[in-house]
């Protein structure tokens, strides 16, 4: 059975799921694109942080 | 075209024709005096000084005179000037146009899909680099690149002074590090103006990320990119403090871009006239870049 959420209430959906009549589609929470985008941003962040390290450490020495 | 023929009958006579009243010139005089006195006169006077033998100290400090094209001729035959000119182009194109724009764009794009903590942290770092006083940024990069600094430790060459061996690269990186925030903010604002429906439509058509970026997002961002390029170019062309504080144009003349060379000639060698002539050359270069961008921007506009 193919349904969209606004058509049915949660209880009805659960009943359908129990009966095995519901086809569940799981969307990926982590995609390769999002992962690589975050990784690139982290690398850029480290690149921006590096020059500051010496000064920060020297100032608290 | 008569009023009747143009289809505007019944709207009365054109109001814009009689708007200008010669007596209003008097009201413009105070602002004209301010603009003339504080902008036009200094610029014209600087143009005049570029054609004199004025010195900061010495025999021509008080009694200087018009020397025609002597300074221009000296500049044309000065190998250090042409070396500084070449370095200026490398600095503007490498550090400003390419590095700042590409990294700024990468930051703006990656921040759209980033997790909030990472976006906040990196955004704060990038903005911090921008809001730091230029002299502080120069000191940070001086400490970073000197022998025993973070860079030499990372490359496991603790005796290596990168500011001596790769001076131009280091000052270019320092300038890009400091200026990326500006491009990032400009592109972030520009990306917000890209309609989500257009991107979604391309996605539904099966376009991959890079295809959508180069065929949808960047063409829409074109005016923003051109404005950013113009501002970054002009900002990088006039960069002086960062380089002078880090290297004073050295070692030798390795980082002596035109603003630094102009300062050295005018205030260290006391040749104010020649220094002003170099400043004029810098204005001409900035004007050429501006004309190039404006022309390119006008070309991209729909008729």
């Amino acid at each position: 059975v193919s349904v969209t959420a606004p058509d049915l209430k949660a209880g009805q959906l659960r009943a359908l799921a129990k009966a095995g009549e519901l086809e569940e589609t799981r969307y990926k929470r982590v995609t390769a694109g999002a992962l690589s985008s975050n990784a690139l941003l982290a690398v850029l962040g480290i690149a921006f942080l590096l020059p500051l390290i010496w000064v920060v450490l020297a100032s608290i020495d | 075209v008569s009023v009747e023929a143009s289809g505007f009958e019944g709207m009365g006579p054109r109001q814009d024709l009689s708007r200008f009243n010669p007596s209003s010139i008097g009201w413009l005089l105070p602002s004209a005096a301010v603009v003339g006195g504080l902008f036009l006169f200094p610029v014209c006077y600087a143009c005049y000084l570029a054609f004199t033998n004025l010195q900061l100290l010495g025999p021509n400090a008080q009694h200087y005179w018009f020397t025609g094209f002597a300074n221009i001729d000296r500049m044309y035959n000065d190998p250090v000037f042409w070396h500084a000119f070449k370095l200026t182009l490398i600095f503007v194109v490498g550090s400003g146009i390419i590095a700042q724009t590409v990294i700024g764009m990468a930051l703006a794009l990656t921040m759209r899909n980033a997790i909030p903590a990472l976006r906040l942290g990196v955004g704060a770092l990038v903005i911090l680099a921008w809001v730091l006083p230029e002299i502080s940024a120069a000191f940070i990069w001086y400490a970073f690149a000197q022998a025993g600094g973070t860079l030499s430790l990372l490359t496991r060459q603790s005796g290596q002074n990168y500011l001596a061996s790769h001076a131009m690269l280091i000052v270019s990186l320092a300038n890009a590090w400091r200026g990326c925030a500006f491009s990032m903010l400009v592109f972030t604002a520009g990306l917000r103006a890209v309609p989500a429906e257009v991107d979604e439509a391309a996605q539904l058509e099966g376009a991959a990320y890079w295809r959508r970026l180069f065929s949808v997002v960047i063409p829409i961002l074109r005016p923003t990119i051109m404005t950013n390029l113009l501002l970054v170019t002009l900002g990088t062309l006039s960069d002086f403090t960062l380089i002078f504080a880090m290297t004073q144009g050295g070692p030798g003349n390795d980082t002596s871009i035109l603003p630094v060379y102009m300062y050295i000639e005018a205030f260290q060698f006391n040749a104010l006239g020649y220094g002003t002539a170099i400043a004029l050359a810098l204005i001409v270069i900035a004007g050429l870049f501006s004309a190039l961008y404006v022309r390119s921007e006008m070309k991209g506009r729909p008729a």
Side-chain angles (χ1 to χ4, degrees), chain A residues 33-42, chain B residues 106-123:
Chain A
L35 201 65
S36 55
S37 173
N38 279 284
L40 177 62
L41 187 60
Chain B
L107 283 166
L109 286 169
T110 51
M111 277 194 184
R112 285 202 305 181
N113 304 320
I115 51 176
L118 188 62
R119 184 169 54 218
L120 192 70
V122 177

Side-chain angles (χ1 to χ4, degrees), chain A residues 47 50-51, chain B residues 87 90-91 94-96 99-100 134 137-147 149-155 157 160-179 236 239 242-248 250-251 254-255 257:
Chain A
L50 274 178
Chain B
L87 288 179
I90 293 171
F91 186 64
S95 177
Q100 276 190 43
E134 214 164 350
F139 174 69
I140 285 169
W141 274 83
Y142 179 83
F144 178 63
Q146 68 173 336
T150 315
L151 189 58
S152 61
L153 291 176
L154 283 173
T155 54
Q157 291 178 321
Q160 178 80 22
N161 182 0
Y162 285 96
L163 214 46
S165 60
H166 299 80
M168 196 61 198
L169 178 68
I170 297 296
V171 295
S172 299
L173 286 175
N175 183 62
W177 180 79
R178 197 169 172 273
T236 313
D239 208 348
L242 190 74
I243 294 185
F244 196 76
M246 284 173 76
T247 64
Q248 298 195 331
D254 281 1
T255 54
I257 63 168

Side-chain angles (χ1 to χ4, degrees), chain A residues 6-34:
Chain A
D7 295 338
L8 296 170
K9 288 182 179 168
Q12 292 172 298
L13 280 171
R14 253 182 252 122
L16 279 171
K18 261 188 184 173
E21 291 179 26
L22 204 62
E23 189 180 313
E24 193 181 1
T25 306
R26 283 183 183 272
Y27 290 99
K28 284 181 184 174
R29 286 176 68 91
V30 181
T31 62

Side-chain angles (χ1 to χ4, degrees), chain B residues 111-257:
Chain B
M111 277 194 184
R112 285 202 305 181
N113 304 320
I115 51 176
L118 188 62
R119 184 169 54 218
L120 192 70
V122 177
L125 266 176
V126 176
I127 300 284
L128 175 72
W130 188 42
V131 297
L132 274 176
E134 214 164 350
I135 195 76
S136 306
F139 174 69
I140 285 169
W141 274 83
Y142 179 83
F144 178 63
Q146 68 173 336
T150 315
L151 189 58
S152 61
L153 291 176
L154 283 173
T155 54
R156 295 172 191 277
Q157 291 178 321
S158 57
Q160 178 80 22
N161 182 0
Y162 285 96
L163 214 46
S165 60
H166 299 80
M168 196 61 198
L169 178 68
I170 297 296
V171 295
S172 299
L173 286 175
N175 183 62
W177 180 79
R178 197 169 172 273
C180 277
F182 175 76
S183 297
M184 182 194 78
L185 292 175
V186 168
F187 290 137
T188 303
L191 283 169
R192 284 194 189 133
V194 176
E197 308 85 55
V198 180
D199 194 40
E200 280 167 17
Q203 205 169 357
L204 285 172
E205 293 288 336
Y209 176 80
W210 294 107
R211 177 76 173 161
R212 292 202 315 274
L213 179 65
F214 286 108
S215 301
V216 176
V217 177
I218 288 183
I220 293 174
L221 276 183
R222 185 188 157 92
T224 312
I225 294 172
M226 296 315 287
T227 308
N228 172 72
L229 281 177
L230 177 65
L231 295 174
V232 163
T233 302
L234 296 182
T236 313
L237 259 181
S238 60
D239 208 348
F240 168 78
T241 313
L242 190 74
I243 294 185
F244 196 76
M246 284 173 76
T247 64
Q248 298 195 331
N253 286 315
D254 281 1
T255 54
S256 182
I257 63 168

